[in-house]
Amino acid sequence: MTQPTDRPTASPTTRPRLLYVDNLRTALTVLVVLHHAAITYSNIPHWYYVETGTDPSGVLLDVLLLLDQAFFMGAFFLISGLFVPGSHDRKGTRRFLGERLLRLGIPLLAWLLLLRPLVTVGAYTAERDAAVQRGAELPYWQYYLHSFTPGPMWFVEVLLVFSALYVLWRHLAGKERRVSEAAPAPVTGRAPGAVAIVGFTVGLALVTYLWRIVIPMGVPLPVLGLPTPAYLPQYAALFAVGLIAARRGWPEGLSRPTGRIGFAAAAVAAVGILLLAVGSSGGTEFLGHGTWQSLVMAVLDSTLAVGIILGLLVLFRERLGHQGRHRRFLSTHAYTVYLVHPVVLVALGYALSGVQAPAVAKFALLAVLAVPLCWAMAFAVRALPGARKVL
């Protein structure tokens, strides 16, 4: 007889928290801030405040965006997956879903209702003035609905869906099996070997290639507001890997040579992506639509993602596995930084609008100012009554 799925299915021994994973998540959060700072001055104007580049250095920012887009959000989904099974085991279905809605749903609403209006003031003002010149009116509510997207909080939106699907899977699987009550999942397990890793990468590349026939790179999903739906197979696959890895103790079982080989494979793939992009001479063949170039791109960015994530997991486990007061502060506030960083970047973007400098120089200046200010704002937000229960 199986246990009801609305109660914890086990009472596992508390496992030590993987501090190096927390530190990696902090580093990825910094990369998110840098990524959006780079968009500000790149040739890819998909942000709330942008300055069209007038010098060739903006191409370097395009390269940064192309490379980190291949892996950094996938790494976030894998890390999120690592913590889901244990959380569900401890809390049970109802409490798990309740806390997911609290910690994911409320920040999403806060972004949509409070923060998004702040970062879109400039864009709305420009469109309203243009409408007035045409003899029309553009109330804010109409602009808001017409331009609706969840912005960077699309990650939270998708993670909420993935979490609900995991609960559904647990419910269905519970009819046939249940989590063992004898012992918790191993802290250190035998990680997948080279054949399994290569097989996963090839499979991910093929699925990504087929997916991009329908949804090529650079095409957003207007209903859900996803800016990079071409990477959805990667996000789902790495989230699933995180779920399995948590049960089997894979992160602790990864060997140092695996990390080094991962970094090497990622470096080769990054060079391949740059050569493919440069070789296209402004063409879009590698974006999708079933072309051979899109197949090569799917293989390269899947290799880059898998390789660099393996390398980062090993690097942070071996070199950055501890937390003092400063790292603990950064880790504790990282989620809030993810929520508030667009406000900081847009405000600084307007403040620096009068500075005349190459795109790369302005990016560097914005990044240096934005990263500490993001954590300062996160600290202030978490000091608000009740905020720490959510953030």
Side-chain angles (χ1 to χ4, degrees), residues 214-259:
V214 180
I215 302 180
M217 297 171 65
V219 176
L221 279 182
V223 177
L224 297 176
L226 304 185
T228 54
Y231 290 90
L232 267 178
Q234 181 195 110
Y235 301 154
L238 290 176
F239 180 77
V241 167
L243 299 176
I244 300 170
R247 290 286 184 214
R248 301 185 180 182
W250 286 350
E252 292 294 319
L254 291 171
S255 66
R256 293 181 181 179
T258 297

Side-chain angles (χ1 to χ4, degrees), residues 114-135:
L114 299 176
L115 301 182
R116 185 174 179 271
L118 290 177
V119 299
T120 56
V121 167
Y124 166 66
T125 301
E127 292 208 17
R128 183 197 61 191
D129 293 344
V132 169
Q133 292 180 357
R134 297 191 303 268

Side-chain angles (χ1 to χ4, degrees), residues 8-33:
T9 56
S11 299
T13 302
T14 302
R15 294 177 56 184
R17 188 166 183 86
L18 303 178
L19 297 180
Y20 70 90
V21 176
D22 285 341
N23 293 336
L24 175 55
R25 180 163 47 190
T26 300
L28 291 171
T29 303
V30 173
L31 185 56
V32 167
V33 177

Side-chain angles (χ1 to χ4, degrees), residues 296-310:
V296 174
M297 177 58 105
V299 171
L300 291 173
D301 64 18
S302 296
T303 302
L304 190 153
V306 173
I308 201 167
I309 289 172
L310 288 173

Side-chain angles (χ1 to χ4, degrees), residues 192-206 261 265 299 302-303 306 310:
V195 173
I197 293 173
V198 172
F200 171 81
T201 305
V202 171
L204 175 59
L206 290 176
I261 293 172
V299 171
S302 296
T303 302
V306 173
L310 288 173

Side-chain angles (χ1 to χ4, degrees), residues 20-26 28 72-84 155 159 238-239 242-243 309 313:
Y20 70 90
V21 176
D22 285 341
N23 293 336
L24 175 55
R25 180 163 47 190
T26 300
L28 291 171
F72 76 137
M73 296 311 298
F76 268 118
F77 279 108
L78 184 142
I79 290 173
S80 298
L82 285 173
F83 294 101
V84 165
F155 168 72
L159 185 57
L238 290 176
F239 180 77
L243 299 176
I309 289 172
L313 284 171

Side-chain angles (χ1 to χ4, degrees), residues 9 86 126 136 138 155-156 159 182 187-188 206 215 251 272 305 358 361 375-376 385 387 391:
T9 56
L138 182 63
F155 168 72
V156 170
L159 185 57
V187 174
T188 302
L206 290 176
I215 302 180
W375 259 268
L391 301 170

